[in-house]
């Protein structure tokens, strides 16, 4: 039961890394909204990487995804350090690389028929749809709420795509 809870936390955090990461890539960078959503994304990606070490392959071992978790912990940390130091090009490169690594891991996970997500798609599609809807709804509410809080505090935040 504890392993199932850990996998659920891992999956929810992974979903948030995909959604919040895409949001960050598709909008104007900088400002309070970028910083708050970025912090949420960093927390989620750290949760995904750390919990991955307890999520093993079907035979109980480690896989290439675990090596990616080590790399992700390093690149996200380097991205944070770059942001703190004001090196925006380095920050951008590390964070984008980390996001695309998570995206690649997600594709790798759904490509293996024996893993939980493909199995849910086959055997429990309504639950998978509910899970996805809950992720999208809560992520959307987080972004909207964060934008509203910042605007009521006197800071104008624009949510738009960059061209």
């Amino acid at each position: 039961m504890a392993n199932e809870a850990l996998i659920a936390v891992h999956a929810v955090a992974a979903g948030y890394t995909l959604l919040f990461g895409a949001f960050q890539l598709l909008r104007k960078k900088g400002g309070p909204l970028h910083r708050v959503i970025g912090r949420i994304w960093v927390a989620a990606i750290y949760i995904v990487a750390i919990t991955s070490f307890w999520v093993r392959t079907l035979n109980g071992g480690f896989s290439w995804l675990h090596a990616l978790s080590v790399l992700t912990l390093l690149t996200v940390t380097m991205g944070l350090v770059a942001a703190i130091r004001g090196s925006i090009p380095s920050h951008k490169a590390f964070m984008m690389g980390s996001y695309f690594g998570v995206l690649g891991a997600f594709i790798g996970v759904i490509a293996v028929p024996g893993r939980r997500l493909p199995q849910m798609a086959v055997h429990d599609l309504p639950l998978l749809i509910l899970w996805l809807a809950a992720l999208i709804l809560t992520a959307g509410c987080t972004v909207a709420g964060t934008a509203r809080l910042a605007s009521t505090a006197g800071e104008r935040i624009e949510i738009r795509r960059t061209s």
Side-chain angles (χ1 to χ4, degrees):
M1 184 65 166
N3 195 37
E4 293 297 320
L6 181 85
I7 290 170
V9 167
H10 179 82
V12 168
Y16 284 141
T17 64
L18 292 170
L19 292 171
F20 288 124
F23 176 79
Q24 291 288 66
L25 287 175
L26 296 174
R27 65 174 297 281
K28 183 181 171 211
K29 308 303 181 276
L33 183 61
H34 177 80
R35 286 189 296 275
V36 172
I37 298 302
R39 287 177 181 139
I40 294 168
W41 181 80
V42 166
I45 202 163
Y46 276 142
I47 290 168
V48 170
I50 292 166
T51 59
S52 75
F53 297 110
W54 287 271
V55 179
R56 302 290 176 86
T57 63
L58 296 175
N59 64 5
F62 290 103
S63 73
W64 64 272
L65 293 169
H66 296 98
L68 182 61
S69 292
V70 172
L71 180 63
T72 298
L73 290 169
L74 292 172
T75 58
V76 170
T77 302
M78 294 303 295
L80 287 173
V81 169
I84 292 166
R85 291 184 176 163
S87 177
I88 302 309
S90 292
H91 168 71
K92 182 179 177 181
F94 280 118
M95 294 312 195
M96 285 180 67
S98 299
Y99 177 76
F100 287 117
V102 168
L103 188 59
F106 174 70
I107 292 167
V109 165
I110 63 172
V112 177
R115 300 205 48 125
R116 280 182 175 80
L117 282 178
Q119 286 297 309
M120 282 181 74
V122 171
H123 300 292
D124 203 353
L125 188 58
L127 182 62
L128 180 60
I129 291 170
L130 180 64
W131 177 74
L132 289 171
L135 278 175
I136 292 166
L137 180 65
T138 57
C141 288
T142 299
V143 169
T146 301
R148 181 153 171 88
L149 281 174
S151 68
T152 59
E155 297 174 284
R156 188 163 189 275
I157 296 176
E158 293 182 21
I159 301 174
R160 65 176 176 195
R161 294 175 134 181
T162 56
S163 301

